Amino acid sequence: MKFSFRQTFQSESNTYSPALKALASEANLCVPHELHVGTHVKKVNNLGVAFPRYLHISKCNSRIILSRKRYVTKIILDEKKIKTIHMLDISHVHRGFVGSEKFESLKTLHKYKAENFLTIFFNGGKTVALIMPSKEICRKYYDTISDLLEVYRNNTQKVDKDELLLFYVWPKRPSESILWQEAVAILKRLNFQAYSSDYKKIFKSCTISLKLKKTSLNHSQFLTFLKKAKTHQSNELVPEDFIWKSLAGNKDTIPYDDFMKFLKDKQAENNLKYLDTELKISKKGIDKPTFDSYLYGELNNAFDFRALRFDESTLDKPLGSYWINTSHNTYLTADQVKSNSSVEMYLTALDRGCKCVELDTWDGGHASSKPVPVIYHGHTLTSKINMEDVIICIKNYVEENPETYPIILSFENHCSEEFQVAMANILTSVLGDILYIPTDDDLEGDLPSPANLRGKVVIKGKRPPQDEDDPDSDSDDDSDEEEQDKEGQTETKMEKTNSSSSHKKKKFSPELTRLVLLYGKKFSSFDESLKQPDWHMHSIKESKRYKFINKSKDKMKNLMKWREYNTKHLTRTYPKGTRLYSSNFNPLTDWSLGCQMVALNFQTYGAPMVMNDGRFRANGGCGYVLKPRWLLPGGSLRPAKQVKFRIRVLGAARLPKPMGVRLGEYVDPYVVMTVFDLDTMGDYTSETEGVQEVIKKYHSDHISNNGFCPVWKDEKFTEFTVLNPDIAMLCFKVKEKDTASFDDFIGAASIPVSALKKGYRNVPLYANNDTQHGPFHMASVFVEIEI
């Protein structure tokens, strides 16, 4: 039986290109025979009910299959009876703890061991919660799926994007052929309108040229048809074809020297030797498939691949030298009034690259006479979760990712002293050696670097002198605000009185305070703040930023002092409390001030999160990005000179349907480009931002019924003047034109202007939670940039 699986693999993979065949071959080595056969499991639904299912990995190692019956003969069947998840859909997998809302709602949770829990995250936020029969089987599936995901991540960049997309949507085994009627269904899913009889003629001509007996095509043959049909679909050459024609004419290759000249002159590449090695170009020249792969590959990303790639050498400076990917109210699934709190949100944030998460802790009840601290948004209807479940989640994340850079736990501590002792016991007992506990010597001089703290969990909280009351300590809690926010929201007198009283009387347990490295101090003045030790820091609400700058008559002097403070100390900024629906503010202002932790609501999609995702895509997505030189110790504290660049949209490729769904109408896409910039030499009188925002937009026309290969070829470039290139972000958003309703979101991306590359470039698109699941692996916008 085991041999027959290998035989099946060999016969199927022969229809692939060498790159895809290599991927399939590596994947085949990952999967034990028994996982092909399958396992009886229980699947937990949204209502917290566990149903029996049969779990196995498909013979071609590309899909996870959940079915009611043991044997499945087809890849895609009725979704009511079988669920398939492609490996390209999966973002991450976790095991051994309550890691999703479904497990949290499990009505019989007490009957099961958490060590048998397996959670698969897919399609940008969906989960499958599985109860495995044993810890050992759970581990085997976890290891196998993790290995497969690694194989896919390492190899998909080498595969032609059209072929990879076809591999993702192909409804049969690769060697099995499809007829024209089945081809139309595939093309519709690809947003490729094929009603014209011309496409059927092209389809038939492919079968004739390949000397096939039937008018049907297998996987590799259909790819040939797809390439031929592209130009007909767009009514003109797609970008890769007209660039090729300008360089090669009617030849089959571009001569080696001509391609190197193209890289140097048009693409402004200055390390041709490296690119030559990476691309493995023959001295005879580059052929069309290799050229297309280059144009849509990592090395031709509009986001400089050198900035994207992880650079360990940049992580040896003190923590104050970095922008740190930071979440606000991490536990919330939606709004701040009545939404659920969930451990799942911590996993989602961490897997998104977040390195500072927030825990709002309150006194809970008692279990077996022991105090149980809980996390929720106080004085609201949001649900509560146990703090211990969150710490177990973070521990598991670090164990699964031992090379991670430090995870900072930002505590907003509302607990009484008894519950603070319980918090300390949970942190020390659960985290063990991965918890960083500073010594007195550690609190002298510079803060440690991310490299020094690799694989550690760091605590941000209260550390008052001699463990006494700390009336000056800072807090993210808005309850002590006496001002009334613009939206007219204000607390009741009773809430204010109780809050004020609790702040005055609160004691901080020495068991908890000794664990704190980053100590939040209340702001008095920048002159006073600059005298404080480096491990002291500020947490500042969005609406207070302009007040701190405007406290001095010399606003620019005050601004420069804040930047100076942030060269060595940390500042965490966060949204004001009246953002009841968990909306976000523009992070650029805070980044320009040198603030390291600009906390955003990760659960809320919008321009601020698109910019945050783009900023922290740099340095391999490790969550720590070195600030520009002028914001570091000894820097000028003044931004770099303005720059100008011109850009035009040439086309897009392999756009998914809105939300990445399989079915639906053909899309009518258009592109919006926006530069978010700051005039950091403004008058600083803005009550909402503190500096003058500069927003410039470009809006393309829409292309009807073509999401697979729309072509714009704008004759004119759009010019942008960027005042603060180290801070500014260029954002792309692709939407679908809808005359009857709101325009639907398709995909987005953002790039720091300082990392923008010249020439013909591709811009990979992301779903609305910064994942590239399923079709988003292959989707991109194609542009031409002049700098």
Side-chain angles (χ1 to χ4, degrees), residues 28-89:
N28 192 57
L29 299 175
C30 297
V31 185
H33 164 65
E34 57 267 32
L35 270 59
H36 282 137
V37 176
T39 307
H40 287 288
V41 301
K42 289 187 177 180
K43 176 177 174 285
V44 183
N45 67 10
N46 292 326
L47 300 176
V49 180
F51 291 94
R53 287 293 183 268
Y54 206 82
L55 170 70
H56 62 102
I57 295 175
S58 66
K59 293 180 182 180
C60 55
N61 308 311
S62 62
R63 289 172 170 86
I64 292 172
I65 300 176
L66 275 165
S67 60
R68 297 180 183 181
K69 295 182 179 180
R70 180 166 184 173
Y71 296 107
V72 178
T73 56
K74 295 183 180 180
I75 292 178
I76 297 175
L77 296 174
D78 185 351
E79 286 287 342
K80 294 180 180 179
K81 297 180 180 179
I82 178 172
K83 185 175 190 65
T84 66
I85 306 173
H86 201 286
M87 288 298 165
L88 291 173
D89 285 323

Side-chain angles (χ1 to χ4, degrees), residues 309-336:
R309 291 183 175 178
F310 173 63
D311 184 357
E312 188 175 4
S313 68
T314 65
L315 294 160
D316 59 354
K317 295 178 172 52
L319 285 175
S321 299
Y322 300 88
W323 287 317
I324 303 171
N325 200 354
T326 302
S327 165
H328 175 249
N329 288 347
T330 312
Y331 49 90
L332 288 181
T333 58
D335 65 74
Q336 300 185 65

